[in-house]
Amino acid sequence: MTQAPRDIEVLIDLMAKLPGLGPRSARRAVLHLVKKRGALLSPMADAMQTVAATARECVECGNIGTADTCAICSDPKRANGEICVVEDVADLWAMERAQVFQGRYHVLGGTLSALDAVGPDELRIPKLMSRIASDGISEVILALNATIDGQTTVHYIADQLENSGVRMTSLAQGVPIGGELDYLDDGTISAALKARKSL
Amino acid sequence: MPDLSVQSLTLSHFRSHKVLRLKVDARPVAIFGENGAGKTNILEALSLLSPGRGLRRATAEEIMRRPEQLGWKVHANLNSLGQSETIDTWAEPGHTRQVRINEKSATQVTLGRIVRVLWLVPSMDRLWIEGAEGRRRFLDRMTLSFEPGHADATLTYEKAMRERNRLLKDQVRDPHWYRALEQKMAETGAIIQQNRQAAIDALGQAQEQSETLFPAATLSLQHANDLPILTDSAELLAALSDNRPRDLAAGRTLVGPHRVDLNAIYATKNIAAKECSTGEQKALLVSLILANGRALIQSFGAAPLLLLDEVAAHLDDNRRAALYNEICALGGQAWMTGTEKRLFETLDDRAQYIKISDQGGESTMEMLQ
């Protein structure tokens, strides 16, 4: 089988390590980039170099930014006493896209998993506790995924804050906007019914 | 016509079957052929129409036909509660099992809405004399047939327990982490116990309501070390918390539904199942499977698919004939295997017959009239 030149093969191998891309889709993407190297590959390489040089984790919340403290943590208007705990930076960005939450975030960087040797110290949980104690936090919103590990982490944090006087909430679970009941699984319908609200 | 029956079955690269296409009616199906011809493989394929790893508890990888290793597929058309349903389940190399129902992606648990499957395989002949794990699995299988959500509760409980056991083994002392896991174990553990008790009650009723040549078994649950069986999540949570020091010393969780055993008493003789003869033990198992089938008619609305591998073994002529009469009276579609056709002769035209042979490492099939 004829292979691409070695440099391009290296690029394909690197691209195939990205989430959502396999060897074939990586090959297609690289071929597309090479064909459009003036319009796409060179600007992308420049952008990647810049991001590699400037991107860093916010020392406060774990968000990705270009300064030691991210734009959200630096903004005094976001210090409204609410902190939203998420698993990953992608979840933070998803929340920000919705433009409804006006408080600050805390990115755990995963969920508790004894089997994978991921404990509280690996998850920035001690940092969360110190922020809650020192930042005048009145409400902690636990926006973690509804997986077993996610829910174990919710219980863990809630247990630690039980006597702190801080209000603890979690995201509602149920019918998505635009969703039809007929297409929902039993667990979602059950959760939606339990969390029903008065009109 | 039974309210649940397979109408056609296609296997592709499934163990010894390169391609198998079967069209059957709703009557019981008797499959016969020499040892190793591929009879049980057909039952295993049918067992994958229910959630889990099937009657051999095999991984998706193990089911692949060798040497091709291209992956495998099972396609079935069924009549279920008056509806025509299509189920596809398959696995590609290196991937887990997938399910499609009526050409739409579905979870394995969803299969329980359409099909209920019960099986009896030769490895279960020693069920009453071997360790508690096999009996627990047997009980959970029966429970699952009544309550498909039992699988979710069991998976969540086991995952949380494995996490807790790792903490215990590593001598982690963080009480918050333990409480978080114990809460999940208590919630799901209570559901598991309630489901199991409900299944035992339903089986007891089904045995009482029908007199057969098969002995009735009185079933009960027993926790290891005679600890109480807790069906209340708050009590189970307290027990897990209280037992933490002992669990830390043992390096594993010592209380909970995973430590519960199924006891059976041969009712008329009042002796424990493990004390019975080999034939009596088999008869008790058959009796429970039939009772489970009868109870499912009430709760699900149809008798389940019965997969009875080498069912004639350890049964005398009378009991074998009685079993066939019971199966026909139950009205469900039973799939049975045996080495010779004469083992099914008392079924006569109440059943349909399939001969399976091995030809150079590939199973071939012949439908007999």
Side-chain angles (χ1 to χ4, degrees):
Chain A
M1 193 175 78
T2 309
Q3 285 207 322
R6 184 168 158 65
D7 290 345
I8 295 181
E9 283 295 334
V10 169
L11 185 56
I12 291 169
D13 288 346
L14 286 170
M15 196 74 94
K17 289 179 181 168
L18 298 179
L21 287 186
R24 282 185 190 164
S25 44
R27 190 169 290 274
R28 252 197 326 269
V30 168
L31 186 60
H32 184 76
L33 286 170
V34 171
K35 280 181 183 168
K36 306 218 167 190
R37 50 193 175 278
L40 210 53
L41 186 57
S42 294
M44 189 181 274
D46 292 344
M48 283 176 143
Q49 223 161 18
T50 308
V51 170
T54 58
R56 66 196 70 183
E57 278 186 9
C58 171
V59 292
E60 288 298 315
C61 70
N63 187 15
I64 302 282
T66 53
D68 285 342
T69 308
C70 72
I72 297 171
C73 290
S74 311
D75 184 353
K77 286 187 211 147
R78 305 290 295 247
N80 65 357
E82 292 175 1
I83 191 164
C84 179
V85 181
V86 293
E87 199 175 312
D88 195 77
V89 174
D91 301 328
L92 186 158
W93 290 353
M95 293 282 290
E96 280 297 284
R97 276 201 306 274
Q99 296 185 333
V100 285
F101 180 62
Q102 297 304 317
R104 286 181 171 157
Y105 295 93
H106 190 84
V107 180
L108 291 178
T111 48
L112 286 175
S113 172
L115 292 171
D116 296 326
V118 180
D121 293 340
E122 283 76 26
L123 287 183
R124 299 170 42 86
I125 288 179
K127 176 70 181 171
L128 172 66
M129 297 304 156
S130 73
R131 286 184 75 191
I132 290 168
S134 63
D135 289 4
I137 299 298
S138 56
E139 179 174 354
V140 177
I141 302 165
L142 296 164
L144 301 184
N145 293 327
T147 58
I148 299 171
D149 287 340
Q151 294 309 297
T152 301
T153 312
V154 166
H155 285 308
Y156 179 89
I157 295 170
D159 197 62
Q160 283 221 328
L161 295 173
E162 197 176 5
N163 299 316
S164 64
V166 175
R167 183 176 180 230
M168 278 178 293
T169 54
S170 63
L171 294 186
Q173 294 175 339
V175 184
I177 292 171
E180 293 179 39
L181 289 181
D182 192 29
Y183 287 91
L184 296 183
D185 64 277
D186 299 351
T188 306
I189 290 179
S190 163
L193 199 61
K194 278 183 194 156
R196 67 188 183 277
K197 56 183 183 182
S198 303
L199 294 172
Chain B
M1 189 181 190
D3 292 318
L4 175 62
S5 61
V6 173
Q7 294 167 322
S8 69
L9 179 72
T10 306
L11 309 185
S12 176
H13 285 83
F14 191 98
R15 293 199 186 264
S16 59
H17 297 276
K18 201 166 186 178
V19 179
L20 173 98
R21 288 194 184 88
L22 275 178
K23 280 199 172 181
V24 290
D25 57 42
R27 288 175 297 164
V29 183
I31 305 170
F32 64 96
E34 292 174 353
N35 292 330
K39 306 181 294 292
T40 308
N41 296 343
I42 298 175
L43 301 196
E44 184 182 26
L46 289 163
S47 72
L48 293 172
L49 301 180
S50 65
R53 285 165 61 167
L55 56 76
R56 281 196 177 109
R57 294 176 47 74
T59 61
E61 209 77 12
E62 287 165 347
I63 293 171
M64 268 191 283
R65 187 181 147 75
R66 305 248 179 322
E68 298 95 330
Q69 305 216 35
L70 297 170
W72 53 269
K73 186 169 185 181
V74 177
H75 171 87
N77 288 308
L78 301 101
N79 166 50
S80 172
L81 304 172
Q83 302 283 323
S84 282
E85 311 274 6
T86 304
I87 295 176
D88 290 285
T89 183
W90 73 96
E92 287 171 14
H95 291 85
T96 54
R97 171 155 93 102
Q98 305 291 310
V99 175
R100 281 171 80 84
I101 298 174
N102 297 327
E103 300 186 4
K104 292 191 180 73
S105 288
T107 60
Q108 288 190 34
V109 174
T110 325
L111 290 169
R113 286 193 195 157
I114 297 175
V115 199
R116 304 289 168 100
V117 189
L118 300 175
W119 57 76
L120 194 56
V121 295
S123 61
M124 289 158 68
D125 288 352
R126 297 176 59 79
L127 188 84
W128 303 116
I129 48 178
E130 286 184 337
E133 193 188 342
R135 285 186 291 279
R136 222 167 15 241
R137 205 179 304 131
F138 177 64
L139 170 64
D140 281 333
R141 208 57 236 173
M142 290 196 290
T143 307
L144 186 68
S145 75
F146 293 111
E147 176 49 64
H150 188 67
D152 279 339
T154 306
L155 288 173
T156 306
Y157 178 85
E158 284 178 356
K159 164 93 168 83
M161 186 181 70
R162 281 199 302 275
E163 291 274 327
R164 187 176 184 270
N165 283 350
R166 174 49 67 95
L167 295 185
L168 294 167
K169 210 164 196 171
D170 293 348
Q171 297 289 303
V172 174
R173 308 262 166 181
D174 184 338
H176 304 293
W177 200 344
Y178 280 106
R179 269 202 291 275
L181 291 168
E182 285 161 6
Q183 199 148 344
K184 196 49 76 186
M185 287 174 72
E187 281 167 20
T188 49
I191 293 169
I192 290 170
Q193 281 308 124
Q194 289 160 16
N195 288 345
R196 284 175 177 170
Q197 193 55 56
I200 285 180
D201 294 345
L203 288 168
Q205 275 181 10
Q207 287 187 111
E208 273 174 25
Q209 286 164 5
S210 179
E211 282 215 0
T212 73
L213 265 186
F214 291 92
T218 308
L219 300 177
S220 62
L221 298 173
Q222 186 181 14
H223 196 291
N225 306 325
D226 286 328
L227 292 173
I229 293 173
L230 304 172
T231 53
D232 179 80
S233 61
E235 287 178 359
L236 187 51
L237 182 63
L240 286 163
S241 175
D242 294 346
N243 216 51
R244 215 180 289 153
R246 281 183 289 277
D247 291 351
L248 267 166
R252 64 197 172 97
T253 306
L254 297 174
V255 291
H258 65 287
R259 299 273 289 159
V260 170
D261 194 2
L262 173 69
N263 281 342
I265 304 284
Y266 191 129
T268 49
K269 290 188 177 179
N270 197 28
I271 54 172
K274 64 181 175 190
E275 312 288 340
C276 294
S277 73
T278 312
E280 285 171 334
Q281 289 186 21
K282 174 89 175 211
L284 280 173
L285 276 177
V286 171
S287 171
L288 284 173
I289 293 283
L290 292 172
N292 194 350
R294 285 195 298 274
L296 275 176
I297 296 174
Q298 302 291 322
S299 64
F300 176 60
L305 293 180
L306 291 180
L307 311 178
L308 307 172
D309 192 21
E310 302 291 350
V311 68
H314 304 306
L315 291 183
D316 58 36
D317 289 349
N318 281 345
R319 278 228 169 98
R320 204 183 305 152
L323 170 64
Y324 298 153
N325 290 339
E326 285 285 334
I327 287 170
C328 292
L330 190 64
Q333 191 184 44
W335 293 69
M336 297 166 282
T337 66
T339 47
E340 295 168 81
K341 193 183 176 200
R342 67 166 184 81
L343 291 168
F344 305 105
E345 62 191 3
T346 55
L347 269 168
D348 203 16
D349 63 356
R350 292 180 296 170
Q352 50 207 317
Y353 299 88
I354 298 170
K355 184 179 180 186
I356 300 291
S357 316
D358 172 63
Q359 289 191 348
E362 193 177 322
S363 296
T364 58
M365 180 224 39
E366 185 185 352
M367 290 285 296
L368 303 181
Q369 295 305 314

